[in-house]
Amino acid sequence: KYKKKWAATIPKISCTKMALQNFDMNYSVQFGEQWPSIRIALLSEMKYGALVNNFAETEKVMQELEHLNAKDFIFESHRKIQNSVPDASVDSQEERKSAELLDAPRRHVPVERSSGGETAAQEQTFDSNLLYNTSNIKCYTFAKGDISRFAPARPDITGMLSYYLMDAASVMPVLALGVRPGDAVLDICAAPGGKTLALLQTQMCCYLAANDISASRTLRLQRVLHSYIPENFCNSDSIRITSWDGRRIGEVESNRFDKVLVDVPCTTDRHSLMEEDNNIFHKLRTKERQMFPLLQVELLVSGIRSVKPGGSVVYCTCSLSQLQNECVVERAAEVVATDHDIHVELEDLGHFRELYSNTFRFQSTCRVGELILPHLTANFGPMYFCKLSRVN
Ligand code: SAM
């Protein structure tokens, strides 16, 4: 026992250490034997992806990145699938553009039955998105095990920066959203703007509303967009930037958007282990941290209310915590059903796991959604994402 007045002399425990203790306690139970390997990856340097700016000198940048031996993992993953599907091989660089731009309806690809009575080829439906990268998004990474780093991006002759460095796993929720030409899109927690920028790279949003409650972070978002998107593209008819409480948007703008991204505040696991500054495991932020699941449910409910019936919402976090991931999605689906008579369906994103397994390590046992696990040979994430479609 120590006397209270001496407590000040007890060594202060740092926020990063608090975070590690918390994760050890919770994640060793959640992940069992896998935890030590995730833990060591989280404590090691993460890998970046270079999101190519389609508004800069794209071809030149891509050549430079390829010269470094980096690869566009999205293009490579789609090519891998194409090559494994009969009658759909598109493997030359020449065909790359037409393949990417192809926005074909669902394709029927004949596959042989491996067992059973019938010998005739069986028709199986493949989603065209599996075969072709229709998103226009290009993100370069170094191969598994290659820990090279990208240099900071430089402006091109027009003054636009050529690529944006981000966790490559952050592109996945944007890809999962599946923006289509003409979509009105809401990014409800947008700052500092990595995913907003990826959404704009699709060049398919007829309208993009980027919102973040924090005025200072919204300013950062504006600066990012200013450095990557030409002025004439940023007019108020096509892009709206606001600093509202995202929890209110569902009520004020109900049934308005085709696609909504809900990238909520969370325990930002990797950041919390590395940075003392602005750390959510600071003693004074305990209450705020404990309230995260509630805030996350409210933001997701708001996102679901703001999407049109038939539209889709992607919920994501950069935390490994089941309480902030699956539990939030399940709770939000209950709340919209009971409080607003809105029904949602959870989309199976299993094909993503298959498609991008060369780049990321996925957890295969999420109840709902997909989780990218940090790993020393592919040190991206954590990134949880789950897609919900609004039925009515
Ligand atoms: N999507 C961003 C990106 O890719 O760069 C990262 C978003 S970050 C994970 C979460 C953001 O949610 C923070 O910028 C925070 O300011 C914002 N936020 C927190 N509470 C909010 C609320 N009630 N409404 C809107 N935004 C909120």
Side-chain angles (χ1 to χ4, degrees):
K1 271 203 153 181
Y2 57 84
K3 284 194 177 161
K4 250 196 174 156
K5 64 173 185 176
W6 293 350
T9 64
I10 289 176
K12 272 193 200 143
I13 173 162
S14 66
C15 299
T16 48
K17 213 162 187 176
M18 279 288 287
L20 188 57
Q21 281 180 2
N22 180 293
F23 295 162
D24 277 336
M25 206 165 59
N26 294 310
Y27 295 156
S28 57
V29 177
Q30 190 180 321
F31 294 101
E33 282 178 350
Q34 271 186 298
W35 173 235
S37 114
I38 302 170
R39 184 185 198 268
I40 196 150
L42 276 177
L43 291 167
S44 309
E45 188 175 322
M46 68 166 280
K47 278 179 86 165
Y48 281 88
L51 175 72
V52 171
N53 186 9
N54 290 329
F55 300 93
E57 293 176 294
T58 317
E59 293 297 324
K60 192 169 159 225
V61 180
M62 285 165 63
Q63 269 172 20
E64 282 170 12
L65 292 168
E66 271 159 36
H67 194 68
L68 296 173
N69 239 346
K71 294 244 162 34
D72 174 2
F73 79 86
I74 305 172
F75 176 72
E76 290 299 324
S77 305
H78 287 259
R79 195 165 65 155
K80 187 186 78 181
I81 291 282
Q82 279 152 22
N83 289 345
S84 68
V85 175
D87 117 318
S89 59
V90 178
D91 53 7
S92 74
Q93 287 293 329
E94 217 177 50
E95 284 176 274
R96 174 189 171 114
K97 266 206 203 117
S98 52
E100 279 179 352
L101 292 173
L102 195 70
D103 193 16
R106 291 170 82 85
R107 292 170 56 100
H108 291 274
V109 179
V111 290
E112 290 296 326
R113 266 207 151 177
S114 54
S115 59
E118 300 102 306
T119 49
Q122 189 82 9
E123 283 274 300
Q124 182 173 328
T125 307
F126 281 78
D127 191 318
S128 62
N129 282 331
L130 263 179
L131 296 171
Y132 302 113
N133 168 23
T134 52
S135 74
N136 290 335
I137 296 175
K138 304 171 188 73
C139 185
Y140 280 75
T141 53
F142 291 106
K144 263 190 181 164
D146 180 345
I147 55 164
S148 310
R149 296 183 192 139
F150 294 104
R154 290 187 314 260
D156 67 4
I157 41 167
T158 66
M160 295 288 107
L161 289 177
S162 49
Y163 53 78
Y164 182 84
L165 292 180
M166 66 198 296
D167 182 346
S170 293
V171 173
M172 300 305 279
V174 178
L175 290 175
L177 198 56
V179 179
R180 296 309 223 179
D183 275 350
V185 181
L186 166 65
D187 188 352
I188 206 164
C189 300
K195 295 185 193 71
T196 314
L197 198 57
L199 284 166
L200 287 169
Q201 297 308 322
T202 65
Q203 303 188 348
M204 291 184 199
C205 311
C206 77
Y207 183 71
L208 177 70
N211 174 73
D212 198 285
I213 197 169
S214 154
S216 60
R217 286 171 69 89
T218 307
L219 270 179
R220 263 177 78 190
L221 165 79
Q222 264 164 346
R223 276 200 294 272
V224 168
L225 297 191
H226 187 74
S227 310
Y228 287 86
I229 312 290
E231 206 76 18
N232 58 349
F233 202 87
C234 276
N235 64 55
S236 56
D237 287 344
S238 52
I239 300 182
R240 180 188 80 186
I241 299 177
T242 52
S243 288
W244 300 337
D245 185 339
R247 288 173 290 188
R248 301 264 301 122
I249 296 183
E251 191 186 327
V252 180
E253 298 193 291
S254 59
N255 309 341
R256 161 116 205 249
F257 298 95
D258 299 290
K259 305 277 159 63
V260 177
L261 183 64
V262 184
D263 182 16
V264 292
C266 67
T267 44
T268 51
D269 295 358
R270 196 184 278 276
H271 178 270
S272 296
L273 287 176
M274 289 299 179
E275 298 278 336
E276 280 302 308
D277 269 4
N278 196 27
N279 194 310
I280 192 65
F281 285 87
H282 192 288
K283 232 174 38 214
L284 297 177
R285 298 185 74 185
T286 307
K287 187 103 198 129
E288 184 188 348
R289 195 179 75 240
Q290 287 166 347
M291 297 302 279
F292 268 162
L294 192 63
L295 171 62
Q296 290 159 345
V297 170
E298 288 179 321
L299 284 164
L300 180 52
V301 166
S302 177
I304 295 168
R305 294 180 71 192
S306 69
V307 85
K308 295 174 189 168
S312 315
V313 177
V314 167
Y315 172 81
C316 61
T317 75
C318 52
S319 167
L320 293 162
S321 156
Q322 240 166 5
L323 270 182
Q324 297 174 65
N325 297 338
E326 288 115 298
C327 297
V328 168
V329 172
E330 288 162 343
R331 179 74 194 127
E334 278 171 18
V335 172
V336 288
T338 51
D339 294 1
H340 305 289
D341 200 22
I342 294 174
H343 295 275
V344 289
E345 269 171 7
L346 300 180
E347 272 195 35
D348 181 10
L349 295 174
H351 56 282
F352 263 66
R353 213 184 310 141
E354 195 185 330
L355 191 54
Y356 297 107
S357 61
N358 265 12
T359 308
F360 303 115
R361 180 159 293 225
F362 286 87
Q363 195 198 15
S364 48
T365 55
C366 283
R367 287 200 302 270
V368 292
E370 295 294 330
L371 177 62
I372 293 175
L373 297 172
H375 190 267
L376 276 185
T377 61
N379 208 353
F380 302 104
M383 180 57 56
Y384 173 80
F385 56 106
C386 184
K387 185 170 185 177
L388 306 94
S389 302
R390 183 166 161 179
V391 177
N392 64 331

